[in-house]
């Protein structure tokens, strides 16, 4: 018989109250999804909606700045993920995308630190450098090394 508690001597709780308590525990501790706006903002619908619009606009500006930085000098991807983090303070979809991204980055970092993968990457780098060195040697053997300041007038 499930009394709804592990404590001896406690009275059993009604099933609907137990379900409500479980849902609150899951929402509060486990998932952590949802708005992180202050309670006084969440309690007023119009204020919360304007808060969400503000967070969206600021996040969008940061993401657009990151996209602009991709071809230009600057930390484009870092800024894009910063904009996603701003969105994640208010929107569940951004929180889920950020969690997925963090999980994938962590998995990639752990794979990169695997000794077998590191040895393979080092071997491939050495092979690539040897190939580049051989091609540079062939070019120099065939055409020689002519410095720009030693070019004869034509």
């Amino acid at each position: 018989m499930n009394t709804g508690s592990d404590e001896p001597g406690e009275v059993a709780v009604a099933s609907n109250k137990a379900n409500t308590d479980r849902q609150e525990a899951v929402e509060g501790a486990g998932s952590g999804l949802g708005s992180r706006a202050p309670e006084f903002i969440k309690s007023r619908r119009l204020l919360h909606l304007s808060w969400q619009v503000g967070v969206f606009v600021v996040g969008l500006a940061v993401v657009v700045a990151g996209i602009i930085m991709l071809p230009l000098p600057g930390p484009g991807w870092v800024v894009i993920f910063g904009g996603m983090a701003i969105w994640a303070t208010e929107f569940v979809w951004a929180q889920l995308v950020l969690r997925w991204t963090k999980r994938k980055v962590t998995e990639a970092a752990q794979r990169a630190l695997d000794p077998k993968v590191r040895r393979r990457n080092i071997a491939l780098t050495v092979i690539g450098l040897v190939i580049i060195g051989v091609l540079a040697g062939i070019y120099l053997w065939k055409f020689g090394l002519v410095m720009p300041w030693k070019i004869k007038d034509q």
Side-chain angles (χ1 to χ4, degrees):
M1 179 171 160
N2 185 6
T3 62
S5 172
D6 293 332
E7 299 294 322
E10 279 196 55
V11 180
V13 293
S15 63
N16 60 355
K17 176 144 175 36
N19 289 339
T20 305
D21 291 342
R22 273 189 231 119
Q23 287 174 347
E24 289 174 359
V26 167
E27 289 171 1
S31 65
L33 298 176
S35 175
R36 292 190 179 99
E39 287 301 321
F40 74 93
I41 290 177
K42 287 195 275 189
S43 64
R44 293 168 181 85
R45 176 98 172 117
L46 185 60
L47 188 58
H48 191 237
L49 185 61
S50 61
W51 176 272
Q52 286 180 328
V53 169
V55 167
F56 183 79
V57 168
V58 170
L60 183 64
V62 172
V63 167
V64 167
I67 291 171
I68 291 170
M69 286 184 201
L70 286 176
L72 299 176
W77 285 109
V78 173
V79 174
I80 289 172
F81 289 127
M84 289 296 296
I86 291 171
W87 279 339
T89 62
E90 196 59 35
F91 303 108
V92 174
W93 60 268
Q95 292 169 1
L96 295 174
V97 168
L98 218 50
R99 282 184 182 182
W100 179 83
T101 304
K102 286 179 184 177
R103 187 174 62 244
K104 291 297 180 183
V105 167
T106 303
E107 290 172 4
Q110 292 199 348
R111 278 195 313 266
L113 294 176
D114 181 27
K116 292 179 184 177
V117 174
R118 290 184 75 203
R119 281 192 296 271
R120 183 199 66 200
N121 290 344
I122 290 171
L124 289 174
T125 302
V126 168
I127 290 170
L129 289 174
V130 167
I131 290 172
I132 290 172
V134 167
L135 291 175
I138 292 171
Y139 177 83
L140 291 174
W141 175 69
K142 180 111 174 141
F143 300 107
L145 180 64
V146 178
M147 294 294 171
W149 53 85
K150 291 186 180 182
I151 297 177
K152 295 180 184 172
D153 293 330
Q154 295 180 1

